[in-house]
Amino acid sequence: MSVEQKLCFDIEQLGQARFSNPMSSAKFVDDDERVLYFSDPKVVKAALDQGQEPLAFELAGPRKKIYFNPKTVRCGIVTCGGLCPGLNDVVRAIVLSLTQHYGVQSIYGFRYGYEGLNGEFGHQPVTLNTEVVNNIEKLGGTILGSSRGPQPVEEMVKTLDAYGIDILFAIGGDGTQKGAGAIYEECCRQGREISVIGIPKTIDNDISYIQQSFGFETAVTQARNSIVAAYNESVSTRNSVSLVRLMGRDSGFIAAYAALADSHVNYCLVPEVPFTLEGLFQSLEERLSRGQHAVIAVAEGAGQDITPPSTETDASGNIKYSDIGTFLRDQIKQHFKPKRLKFNLRYIDPSYTIRSGPANAYDSAFCLLLGHNAVHAGMSGRTNMVVGNWSNDFTHVPIVLATSKRKRIDPDGWLWDNVLAATGQPRDLGSASSYVP
Ligand code: F6P
């Protein structure tokens, strides 16, 4: 039995759903509807042959019977961590679904992430309704504010008690979802009932068991603009290298997809695939000798073994990585300037611009559906879960599963293969892969 076969995809349920869903024209989802985790028929057959159910996610969507009474249920929403295009869309979608689909009247928006659930900060929650969320999807950022880092779980539960929150929607990344799980556990310990529904948010697209996170597509579109600028700069002069630094702490999906978008990138450097300066320089030297320009896209977490080590941590407890962008910029200049007449290096760092604007149309629609499905899950009494997407369906994923490991590019997988095919860079830029799935 593989490790993955032992995983638990079961979703916790607060109790029997007794109220009729007021959505008269909805196509209701049955509780036993599933979305296969492995779609390969061979894997499915192997599980069945061994008398096991193939691994599958619970399908998201409105249930005919719901657990909470829409007339009395009280809901809270919190946005945590770094910004991501679409945060306001998700807030709006949750509020619209709660009010328009279910007729819920009490919705609180807690301010500045989990700080808003810690009374010591004194942030008062805002009352959310259709008027407050009108047009907020056109704004970047989050109208609720955000913060990084955990807060004492007992304090957070106290605040939830004070506002009588039955369903908490937590929009955030890995740390946020772990915090949401901790809130649920603390409520259980106190014998207090709560539905905790996470909506995974990560610009790096690095949450496991979720095909794609909202805002990722918008971020890649923004990153692409920088790549196009870098390309135009480097092809217009001889002996030119353009270097673009993109977000991506531990997973280089933004750099990889930006590299695929126009095939303008000649070297894509990601955290999952080690390289050495010597390997990169040798390959660059060959390109420039052939009279070719070069565009390099580097994810911020790449090459951390070749930069000066960093020990600083951010509020979420993540190590603040050394700046690979400026490091590479300086090293490339130092290496090539003395060797080549009129060597040009252009450095572009779009930085926060890729994540702080509003979502594009696709991401907005995606956020709306995530928000609606989060509400359906909460109203049905599900808890300790996040809303995911898999094989074009929306799914329920246990928090503990979604936060069990980080999703990363597999250097032996199809995505990296295609990045190599599009860039033309050597598979080995000076170091063997140290990828641990
Ligand atoms: O986690 C998402 C992310 O965008 C990372 O790519 C990046 O390292 C980090 O956030 C930076 O965010 P902040 O400066 O807000 O900590």
Side-chain angles (χ1 to χ4, degrees):
M1 189 188 287
S2 72
V3 176
E4 299 227 299
Q5 188 62 46
K6 285 190 225 149
L7 298 172
C8 181
F9 285 52
D10 295 347
I11 299 295
E12 288 180 65
Q13 168 76 35
L14 291 173
Q16 208 196 339
R18 288 177 297 112
F19 294 93
S20 291
N21 191 321
M23 297 174 71
S24 52
S25 59
K27 184 184 170 298
F28 295 118
V29 172
D30 291 330
D31 284 341
D32 61 359
E33 290 189 54
R34 294 286 181 273
V35 179
L36 280 174
Y37 176 53
F38 292 114
S39 52
D40 183 345
K42 279 195 289 221
V43 181
V44 175
K45 186 171 177 303
L48 293 173
D49 286 350
Q50 289 175 27
Q52 290 158 1
E53 282 284 307
L55 285 178
F57 298 102
E58 195 173 84
L59 181 65
R63 268 44 185 187
K64 199 169 186 176
K65 290 284 179 192
I66 54 177
Y67 181 75
F68 288 105
N69 181 350
K71 292 198 176 78
T72 56
V73 70
R74 296 166 75 86
C75 301
I77 307 177
V78 64
T79 56
C80 308
L83 294 184
C84 187
L87 277 164
N88 283 332
D89 299 69
V90 178
V91 171
R92 174 175 167 271
I94 293 172
V95 172
L96 292 184
S97 182
L98 284 170
T99 53
Q100 296 176 348
H101 298 155
Y102 291 93
V104 172
Q105 282 156 19
S106 298
I107 314 170
Y108 294 98
F110 293 98
R111 308 293 319 277
Y112 302 111
Y114 283 147
E115 277 186 13
L117 291 177
N118 181 351
E120 279 183 18
F121 285 91
H123 304 313
Q124 292 306 307
V126 284
T127 300
L128 295 173
N129 54 39
T130 48
E131 272 163 37
V132 175
V133 299
N134 189 28
N135 281 326
I136 63 170
E137 77 282 5
K138 299 195 172 69
L139 309 169
T142 159
I143 59 154
L144 298 180
S146 187
S147 65
R148 276 198 186 277
Q151 295 297 331
V153 71
E154 296 85 359
E155 290 303 318
M156 296 200 283
V157 172
K158 251 191 234 168
T159 305
L160 293 170
D161 273 344
Y163 288 90
I165 300 300
D166 300 298
I167 309 178
L168 176 67
F169 298 98
I171 310 169
D174 187 67
T176 307
Q177 301 313 333
K178 284 184 180 151
I183 289 174
Y184 171 71
E185 297 297 339
E186 178 61 18
C187 286
C188 288
R189 201 184 62 76
Q190 295 182 15
R192 183 205 192 281
E193 196 170 68
I194 192 163
S195 162
V196 174
I197 306 293
I199 298 94
K201 175 231 65 172
T202 150
I203 200 74
D204 294 347
N205 195 26
D206 58 358
I207 295 197
S208 287
Y209 303 99
I210 280 141
Q211 203 156 346
Q212 190 167 307
S213 46
F214 72 84
F216 174 71
E217 193 179 293
T218 306
V220 172
T221 307
Q222 294 298 331
R224 177 195 203 177
N225 294 337
S226 298
I227 301 284
V228 170
Y231 172 78
N232 291 339
E233 288 289 343
S234 64
V235 286
S236 304
T237 38
R238 287 186 306 116
N239 279 321
S240 268
V241 174
S242 292
L243 173 63
V244 183
R245 176 186 180 269
L246 295 168
M247 280 188 170
R249 266 187 64 81
D250 298 295
S251 308
F253 290 104
I254 295 176
Y257 276 90
L260 291 179
D262 293 294
S263 307
H264 284 336
V265 172
N266 309 110
Y267 298 93
C268 178
L269 306 174
V270 295
E272 295 90 335
V273 184
F275 66 95
T276 60
L277 283 180
E278 298 71 35
L280 178 65
F281 290 166
Q282 192 189 333
S283 184
L284 267 177
E285 191 75 68
E286 283 163 19
R287 274 192 74 85
L288 295 177
S289 307
R290 291 196 299 268
Q292 289 173 306
H293 70 282
V295 175
I296 307 172
V298 62
E300 63 178 310
Q304 289 301 307
D305 55 338
I306 61 170
T307 53
S310 152
T311 46
E312 245 187 292
T313 52
D314 68 14
S316 307
N318 304 312
I319 288 193
K320 277 193 178 172
Y321 284 164
S322 304
D323 188 345
I324 182 70
T326 51
F327 174 80
L328 266 189
R329 177 196 65 192
D330 297 343
Q331 294 290 324
I332 294 172
K333 265 192 197 163
Q334 220 175 63
H335 183 85
F336 286 97
K337 270 246 169 207
K339 297 186 181 179
R340 294 189 164 268
L341 207 58
K342 290 193 176 163
F343 173 76
N344 295 296
L345 185 121
R346 267 112 191 176
Y347 180 58
I348 299 177
D349 184 352
S351 182
Y352 294 99
T353 60
I354 69 164
R355 72 172 204 193
S356 47
N360 67 15
Y362 174 84
D363 266 328
S364 281
F366 183 38
C367 289
L368 186 90
L369 300 173
L370 280 171
H372 285 185
N373 281 302
V375 169
H376 299 320
M379 290 302 290
S380 77
R382 275 155 181 82
T383 187
N384 204 14
M385 57 150 274
V386 301
V387 177
N389 63 310
W390 200 256
S391 307
N392 278 334
D393 274 314
F394 287 89
T395 55
H396 295 164
V397 185
I399 286 181
V400 71
L401 191 63
T403 56
S404 59
K405 61 177 182 180
R406 201 179 287 285
K407 185 169 72 181
R408 305 189 77 197
I409 296 175
D410 175 357
D412 297 319
W414 66 268
L415 177 59
W416 190 244
D417 242 36
N418 282 286
V419 170
L420 296 181
T423 57
Q425 75 194 63
R427 184 173 281 278
D428 186 352
L429 273 176
S431 188
S433 162
S434 66
Y435 176 72
V436 184

